[in-house]
């Protein structure tokens, strides 16, 4: 997210986490210049994010540098790092050590796993000692945000020790299907492109209806 009014309206829905994209090739890239972000300066956007006390801030990075990630953790008071590229366990361990020392001692990590088959789920074992959560997204030609689902029955092949988030094309009509998923490690759902009026702008009404339905029909709280 990158619009101050939209950020505040979505935070008021009682959501748990807000995502900020720090990948320069994304249409949702946070560090837009004023002309590209409806006249809002980066400082204004940063203030809106940092002033939200009840919502955790997730920074999404793709094969970025340790220095840039550290800078954004400080600038936006990030609570969670989501790594959506080809980051290795060694890289994540080194990054965690630096962030815990220099930016946020309680920082958490999510590793995104692109999924098309059971074999993709098996890649999680490489990261068991490096991250706190996994995020299962649809494998596509882009880095997430495709609006396309993968076969959610593949989730049954996950037997890891860390909670996971479900991502990939979740839309307003999926509440009942998600409510029928009872995997013990499902911790939450990532709502993105199909709840947008444009990249980076969430549809508040659609999200409110969906969240209310999910919370009454699922063990995701």
């Amino acid at each position: 997210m990158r619009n101050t009014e939209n950020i505040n309206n979505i935070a008021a829905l009682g959501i748990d986490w807000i995502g900020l994209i720090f990948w320069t090739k994304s249409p949702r890239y946070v560090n837009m210049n004023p002309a590209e972000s409806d006249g809002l300066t980066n400082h204004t956007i940063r203030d809106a994010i940092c002033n939200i006390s009840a919502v955790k801030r997730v920074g999404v990075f793709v094969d970025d540098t340790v220095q840039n990630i550290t800078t954004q953790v400080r600038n936006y008071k990030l609570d969670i790092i989501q790594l959506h590229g080809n980051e290795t366990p060694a890289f994540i361990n080194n990054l965690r050590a630096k962030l815990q020392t220099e930016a946020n001692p309680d920082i958490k990590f999510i590793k995104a796993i692109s999924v098309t088959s059971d074999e993709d789920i098996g890649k999680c074992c490489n990261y068991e000692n490096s991250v706190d959560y996994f995020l299962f997204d649809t494998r596509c030609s882009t880095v997430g945000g495709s609006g396309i689902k993968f076969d959610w029955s593949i989730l049954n092949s996950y037997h890891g020790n860390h909670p996971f988030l479900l991502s990939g094309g979740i839309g307003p009509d999926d509440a009942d299907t998600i409510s029928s998923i009872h995997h013990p490690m499902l911790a939450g759902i990532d709502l993105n492109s199909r709840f947008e009026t444009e990249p980076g702008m969430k549809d508040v009404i659609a999200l409110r209806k969906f969240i209310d339905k999910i919370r009454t029909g699922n063990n995701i709280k």
Side-chain angles (χ1 to χ4, degrees), residues 22 46-47 49-50 57 61 66-79 81 98-104 107:
F22 293 103
R46 186 166 63 244
D47 287 348
I49 291 293
C50 292
R57 295 164 283 269
F61 299 88
V66 169
Q67 186 56 53
N68 186 56
I69 296 174
T70 302
T71 297
Q72 302 298 11
V73 170
R74 292 185 183 127
N75 285 345
Y76 290 88
K77 298 183 180 179
L78 300 180
D79 303 288
I81 301 298
K98 183 176 179 64
L99 292 178
Q100 287 179 333
T101 301
E102 301 183 13
N104 181 350
I107 197 78

Side-chain angles (χ1 to χ4, degrees), residues 37-155:
S37 58
D38 300 324
L40 297 173
T41 65
N42 291 338
H43 181 68
T44 302
I45 298 168
R46 186 166 63 244
D47 287 348
I49 291 293
C50 292
N51 288 335
I52 297 174
S53 59
V55 178
K56 292 190 179 297
R57 295 164 283 269
V58 182
V60 181
F61 299 88
V62 180
D63 296 321
D64 212 326
T65 66
V66 169
Q67 186 56 53
N68 186 56
I69 296 174
T70 302
T71 297
Q72 302 298 11
V73 170
R74 292 185 183 127
N75 285 345
Y76 290 88
K77 298 183 180 179
L78 300 180
D79 303 288
I80 304 166
I81 301 298
Q82 179 177 315
L83 298 173
H84 225 293
N86 297 306
E87 300 86 2
T88 65
F91 174 87
I92 298 171
N93 291 337
N94 290 336
L95 176 60
R96 184 192 292 271
K98 183 176 179 64
L99 292 178
Q100 287 179 333
T101 301
E102 301 183 13
N104 181 350
D106 299 316
I107 197 78
K108 302 297 183 185
F109 283 83
I110 303 169
K111 182 68 182 79
I113 304 293
S114 297
V115 175
T116 56
S117 66
D118 293 347
E119 288 73 19
D120 294 320
I121 297 289
K123 297 175 183 177
C124 293
C125 63
N126 297 324
Y127 294 93
E128 280 284 343
N129 297 322
S130 303
V131 302
D132 305 282
Y133 300 89
F134 292 107
L135 179 141
F136 297 135
D137 198 2
T138 306
R139 180 181 296 281
C140 57
S141 58
T142 60
V143 181
S146 68
I148 300 172
K149 299 181 184 68
F150 64 92
D151 179 0
W152 290 346
S153 69
I154 295 173
L155 297 174

Side-chain angles (χ1 to χ4, degrees), residues 4-47:
T4 54
E5 182 179 4
N6 198 225
I7 288 167
N8 290 325
N9 288 338
I10 294 301
L13 298 179
I15 52 93
D16 300 295
W17 298 353
I18 280 180
L20 306 168
I21 309 296
F22 293 103
W23 185 49
T24 58
K25 296 180 181 180
S26 171
R28 302 170 182 85
Y29 178 46
V30 170
N31 284 353
M32 307 296 282
N33 65 47
E36 294 175 312
S37 58
D38 300 324
L40 297 173
T41 65
N42 291 338
H43 181 68
T44 302
I45 298 168
R46 186 166 63 244
D47 287 348

